[in-house]
Amino acid sequence: MKIQRFLEHHGVLSNPFAEEDAQTDPVFKDHCISGTYHPAWDKVYGEPGEPATSVVFGEKGAGKTALRLQIVRHLEEFNRVHPQERQFVIEYDDFNPFLDRFREKLPSRRRRPDLMLAEWRLWDHMDAILSLGVTSLVDRVLGQGSHASGTQRPEVERLDHWQRRDLLLLAAAYDRTLAEPIEGRWRRLARVLKFSTWTSQWPIVLGLLVTAAVVAILAAQGAWNQLWSRFPWPYLLVLAGWTPWLWRMWASFWPANALQRHCRVIDHRPWAVSRLLALFPYREIAGQPLPNKDRTDDRYELLVKFQSVLRSLGYTGIVVLVDRVDEPHLINGASELMRQLIWSMLDNKFLKHPGLGIKLLLPIELGHDVDREERDFYQRARLDKQNMVPSLNWSGEALFDVANARLQACAKDGAKPNIRSLLSDGISERRLIDSFRQLRVPRHLFRFLYRLLVAHSNAHTNEQPVWQISPETFESTLAIYLRDQDAFDRGRGAG
């Protein structure tokens, strides 16, 4: 018996339990994302106009990624309805490129994952977040990447002169894209912002003028044939003419070189960055912060500049979504390595920074590590102020509602299928809810129900179909799945 035939008999067009990952689940993205929520949704999402930090711990399959996608979707809708109170969303969920660059900048003896992550600090997280945010904003201003079409460009006319300078300074330090050379992109951004760089070119003009004057004098005196034997004054004059330019390049190279060493999660090219810094009029960049020291002070100042630019563009807050902490190839789900990566971010000053809401969607293993921490950790992190959800638990009743919501999302017009209609009357609703409670999380629920449909279909033929799943099939499939689930929990199976 075909599963599709069984589902169609109950008014269901497609299998609602075939997908397990929210990122690739069309049923969730198209139907359930705006109507099916975890009971802790309000605490995690908060008030969109006032972004706040939330710290959530959940086991694999509990719905952390689904929460992230729901937050993104709801903030998009909020931004559409409130164009002057928009929230700038940064999805900090792919750590691989940042960890790889960080590792490359360490000596070979410290590149082992545990030794490498012992060097990771809060300012490395801040650099990664600012890089994602600045690159996204520059894409929007230039109409590139995912913002190439269908998205209204920011009204850069709202920015004053100093905010345009700040955005260009942030772009020099943090904008990273593979779409085009970074120097050409920066110059294009400067043109869009109508930020004049011609006053920074006077050292080059002076050098050219002095060189031309020396050449003209030598030509007028007819001294070309004696150039190498005469007094060194022509060379000294040319050198003097180019001295301001040499000093400017030297003064730009040192902070650029320090930025390459201390901004460890981004691959900078010192000469390229120094050329960008040299394009700023010196009086406008003198004393400005750059991420070229091992400290958070400069990063906080740059974050404030970024927020100021966003505020003028209609974004009143920033929401950073941290997810998939266990997936980087250097971590591979190791609890101790995840702890080394994330613990530096658990800093109350950072988590409570005005206008910044950080949604930390963390594996449950880190929740167990939190319980074993000492007083100093709690004083620094102040998790009591961070809207913490200790465990993203699902009750049997909540999972029962999720199963029904997915069936109805895949139903034919006018049909109202539910999980009880698929099962024999011999399976009570109480027994069904108790069974779902044992499955704990949506991913296990979907896997079990998919297996149940397969087991029932394999037990009957197309010539003699049975339209309800028997108690025997239900109980035997549940027993096998719970055994596999236990093996998965012990790290001995795929679940």
Side-chain angles (χ1 to χ4, degrees):
M1 180 181 178
K2 295 180 179 178
I3 294 178
Q4 191 59 40
R5 186 182 177 194
F6 176 80
L7 292 173
E8 287 177 354
H9 175 82
H10 292 279
V12 181
L13 295 174
S14 60
N15 192 337
F17 308 115
E19 291 287 346
E20 302 169 2
D21 188 351
Q23 291 193 119
T24 58
D25 184 358
V27 177
F28 173 74
K29 289 182 176 180
D30 296 339
H31 303 283
C32 300
I33 194 168
S34 59
T36 303
Y37 303 97
H38 186 274
W41 163 255
D42 289 337
K43 186 170 188 176
V44 177
Y45 181 59
E47 174 56 44
E50 295 288 339
T53 290
S54 302
V55 182
V56 179
F57 299 98
E59 64 175 290
K60 293 181 179 68
K64 299 186 296 295
T65 297
L67 270 176
R68 172 170 61 85
L69 296 175
Q70 285 182 309
I71 291 172
V72 171
R73 179 70 63 86
H74 282 72
L75 287 177
E76 287 175 351
E77 178 62 21
F78 177 84
N79 290 346
R80 187 185 66 80
V81 177
H82 304 85
Q84 297 306 315
E85 299 179 37
R86 290 174 293 169
Q87 301 301 308
F88 192 86
V89 179
I90 300 174
E91 294 189 68
Y92 186 28
D93 64 330
D94 184 5
F95 294 87
N96 281 315
F98 300 113
L99 290 173
D100 289 342
R101 292 165 192 150
F102 182 86
R103 190 185 196 190
E104 289 171 359
K105 294 189 179 183
L106 292 177
S108 57
R109 67 180 181 276
R110 297 211 302 269
R111 290 186 178 181
R112 204 175 71 193
D114 57 334
L115 298 179
M116 178 196 83
L117 289 170
E119 304 278 339
W120 188 277
R121 298 292 183 267
L122 173 60
W123 57 78
D124 296 309
H125 281 300
M126 296 179 75
D127 285 338
I129 290 168
L130 281 168
S131 177
L132 292 170
V134 170
T135 301
S136 176
L137 180 58
V138 173
D139 281 343
R140 298 180 195 211
V141 171
L142 298 180
Q144 287 187 324
S146 59
H147 309 282
S149 61
T151 303
Q152 183 179 1
R153 291 194 186 188
E155 298 177 9
V156 294
E157 297 78 11
R158 297 180 178 182
L159 301 178
D160 62 30
H161 175 79
W162 305 113
Q163 289 173 327
R164 296 174 194 224
R165 178 209 60 188
D166 289 345
L167 179 53
L168 286 167
L169 183 64
L170 287 164
Y174 288 119
D175 181 29
R176 289 297 169 267
T177 179
L178 300 178
E180 62 179 309
I182 196 66
E183 192 170 348
R185 179 172 157 101
W186 189 94
R187 289 177 182 274
R188 200 149 60 86
L189 177 64
R191 287 196 296 271
V192 171
L193 295 176
K194 298 179 180 178
F195 184 86
S196 175
T197 61
W198 69 269
T199 55
S200 67
Q201 304 301 313
W202 71 265
I204 297 177
V205 175
L206 177 63
L208 291 173
L209 289 175
V210 171
T211 302
V214 170
V215 169
I217 293 172
L218 290 174
Q221 295 179 349
W224 287 112
N225 57 345
Q226 304 178 31
L227 183 61
W228 299 103
S229 60
R230 293 175 68 87
F231 294 109
W233 67 264
Y235 310 106
L236 294 176
L237 283 176
V238 170
L239 178 63
W242 284 100
T243 296
W245 178 82
L246 292 172
W247 178 85
R248 186 75 176 93
M249 293 304 297
W250 184 257
S252 299
F253 177 76
W254 278 111
N257 189 54
L259 187 148
Q260 188 272 337
R261 287 185 288 110
H262 296 284
C263 188
R264 302 179 289 181
V265 297
I266 301 173
D267 185 20
H268 291 100
R269 295 290 183 266
W271 279 113
V273 176
S274 68
R275 285 195 296 270
L276 296 181
L277 295 179
L279 290 173
F280 289 93
Y282 184 74
R283 67 181 182 278
E284 294 195 6
I285 199 175
Q288 293 300 311
L290 281 172
N292 55 4
K293 298 180 182 65
D294 286 341
R295 64 186 187 188
T296 57
D297 296 1
D298 303 306
R299 276 73 172 187
Y300 277 116
E301 291 177 17
L302 289 166
L303 177 57
V304 170
K305 287 180 178 291
F306 186 50
Q307 289 178 297
S308 174
V309 170
L310 289 174
R311 198 173 297 113
S312 293
L313 296 176
Y315 295 94
T316 59
I318 301 174
V319 177
V320 180
L321 303 173
V322 182
D323 189 19
R324 298 164 60 195
V325 173
D326 56 335
E327 295 185 14
H329 67 92
L330 292 174
I331 292 178
N332 282 329
S335 175
E336 178 59 24
L337 298 181
M338 290 190 287
R339 189 185 69 80
Q340 287 180 293
L341 176 64
I342 292 298
W343 253 224
S344 59
M345 193 185 290
L346 299 180
D347 181 286
N348 185 56
K349 179 182 177 181
F350 177 61
L351 297 179
K352 285 296 184 184
H353 184 80
L356 181 67
I358 310 233
K359 311 295 184 181
L360 289 153
L361 307 171
L362 305 176
I364 193 65
E365 294 86 350
L366 295 182
H368 303 325
D369 289 341
V370 166
D371 295 336
R372 294 191 289 267
E373 285 293 342
E374 302 294 334
R375 181 176 181 274
D376 289 344
F377 169 83
Y378 288 108
Q379 290 299 314
R380 176 173 64 86
R382 291 303 307 269
L383 293 179
D384 58 304
K385 301 173 67 175
Q386 313 301 347
N387 295 314
M388 189 174 81
V389 178
S391 180
L392 206 60
N393 290 327
W394 291 80
S395 65
E397 290 80 0
L399 291 175
F400 183 85
D401 291 339
V402 169
N404 282 330
R406 292 182 72 86
L407 281 168
Q408 290 161 18
C410 297
K412 299 177 183 177
D413 291 340
K416 294 185 179 180
N418 60 73
I419 197 69
R420 288 290 300 119
S421 65
L422 306 184
L423 305 174
S424 167
D425 292 339
I427 306 171
S428 68
E429 185 170 311
R430 185 73 262 160
R431 173 57 184 151
L432 194 58
I433 290 174
D434 289 343
S435 300
F436 288 177
R437 183 176 296 111
Q438 292 177 277
L439 298 171
R440 302 195 309 264
V441 296
R443 183 173 296 166
H444 287 313
L445 172 71
F446 302 159
R447 286 177 175 175
F448 165 68
L449 290 175
Y450 183 80
R451 284 195 193 184
L452 184 61
L453 291 172
V454 170
H456 175 75
S457 298
N458 287 339
H460 303 282
T461 65
N462 284 326
E463 287 74 20
Q464 294 182 319
V466 176
W467 303 118
Q468 288 189 315
I469 300 172
S470 68
E472 294 77 16
T473 301
F474 180 87
E475 296 296 344
S476 61
T477 305
L478 178 64
I480 294 171
Y481 189 84
L482 290 176
R483 183 193 65 192
D484 293 344
Q485 180 179 306
D486 180 64
F488 174 76
D489 291 340
R490 291 184 285 107
R492 296 297 188 91

